[in-house]
Structure formats: structure tokens, C-alpha cells
Amino acid sequence: MKKNIILLLICFISVFSSGCTKYIHASCATSDFYGTYKTRDLINAEVIMYKKNSNIICNGEIFLRPDKKLYYLINSPIDGNIDLGCSDKTLIRARITMTKPRFDKLNGNGYDQLDNLYSFETISGKVFRQNIDKRQYKTFKHNSQSNLKY
């Protein structure tokens, strides 16, 4: 009986501690970015974004700011921030709203240090692959180490 409980506990922990890769699009008047994000826990995710038709890469994180206790987050929208640092020295900070739990659907707006307005939204993997060359990007693997710098 104890072996079954331990096995069930291990399965439960592994399911909830592993993140899934989702796809994101950010656009402004002059450029489009496509990327992936992978959840680390209920309020953090790491992001890698690629500028379309360019070698510019942005790394950063999504941090949700739940106003309620975490067990109320199943059906309510959650506010958060995206902070990105790009290889061309651009810094992008956006406020987003997560409309579904577990980082499934996000949208929001934000600015870089030059006051360019960016619009963020979740996209499908098919749209991501149509817009970014396969040799240019690397998506997160389910057991990959975190690329965050903190």
C-alpha cells in the first residue's frame, strides 16, 4: 500500500512540476517577434523570442501577479508582466493578462525603451513554424534546464 502511495505521489509531482512549451507572438509597427515560453511553476515562465527575418533573439520571463490565493486561479484572469532583453540591446516590458489557467492563453501590450508599442498574444505551433525558419530557433524541451539569469 505504501509503495502505491509513493508511486502516485511521484507521478503527481512530476506532472505538476513539468512545464509545457507554448507559442507567443509580439508585434509592433516595425517588426514581428515569434517565440516560445515554458512554465516553471504556477506564476513563472521563461520566454525566448525571435525577430522575424533577423538574427535578433530576446530572452526573458513572464511573472504573474495573482491578486487571489492560487487555488482561486482556475477560472479567473490573472495580470502579469513580460520582461525581455534582446540581443540588439532592446528592453521590452509588457503588462499581460492570462485569461486561462496554466499559461494557456495570454494577451497584452507593452513598450520598449524607445516607446514602440508591442502587442502580445498566444499563437499555435503551426503559425510559429510558418513564420520562423526551423534552423533559426530552438524550442524548450520538457526536461531542459532554465535559461533564466536569476
Side-chain angles (χ1 to χ4, degrees):
M1 183 67 179
K2 281 188 174 184
K3 290 180 183 180
N4 291 336
I5 292 173
I6 292 172
L7 183 61
L8 186 62
L9 182 62
I10 290 171
C11 291
F12 180 75
I13 290 171
S14 66
V15 166
F16 283 102
S17 65
S18 66
C20 297
T21 300
K22 305 284 194 294
Y23 300 94
I24 188 171
H25 174 243
S27 62
C28 74
T30 59
S31 61
D32 282 323
F33 286 86
Y34 292 89
T36 62
Y37 63 96
K38 180 180 178 185
T39 60
R40 285 292 169 198
D41 53 30
L42 292 176
I43 60 173
N44 287 308
E46 57 185 299
V47 182
I48 296 178
M49 299 201 66
Y50 304 93
K51 186 173 183 179
K52 186 174 181 177
N53 300 324
S54 174
N55 291 329
I56 296 172
I57 299 172
C58 301
N59 292 313
E61 74 171 324
I62 299 172
F63 179 74
L64 299 181
R65 294 174 285 111
D67 295 334
K68 303 172 185 169
K69 296 194 183 285
L70 289 177
Y71 54 83
Y72 288 118
L73 300 179
I74 293 174
N75 293 318
S76 60
I78 308 163
D79 292 328
N81 293 330
I82 295 179
D83 294 316
L84 296 170
C86 301
S87 59
D88 66 346
K89 308 293 188 231
T90 303
L91 300 172
I92 302 170
R93 182 171 187 127
R95 295 191 49 101
I96 57 144
T97 301
M98 194 69 60
T99 55
K100 289 188 178 179
R102 298 285 296 163
F103 289 89
D104 284 339
K105 184 163 175 73
L106 67 87
N107 57 35
N109 296 311
Y111 293 91
D112 64 8
Q113 75 267 31
L114 302 174
D115 288 330
N116 295 318
L117 176 64
Y118 288 86
S119 175
F120 289 84
E121 65 181 345
T122 307
I123 59 173
S124 69
K126 182 179 179 182
V127 172
F128 174 79
R129 287 185 291 278
Q130 287 173 348
N131 288 286
I132 299 296
D133 183 22
K134 288 181 182 179
R135 290 167 281 146
Q136 181 181 355
Y137 70 88
K138 292 180 181 177
T139 59
F140 294 105
K141 295 180 180 168
H142 290 289
N143 294 325
S144 66
Q145 294 294 321
S146 174
N147 289 331
L148 297 177
K149 308 294 187 280
Y150 64 90

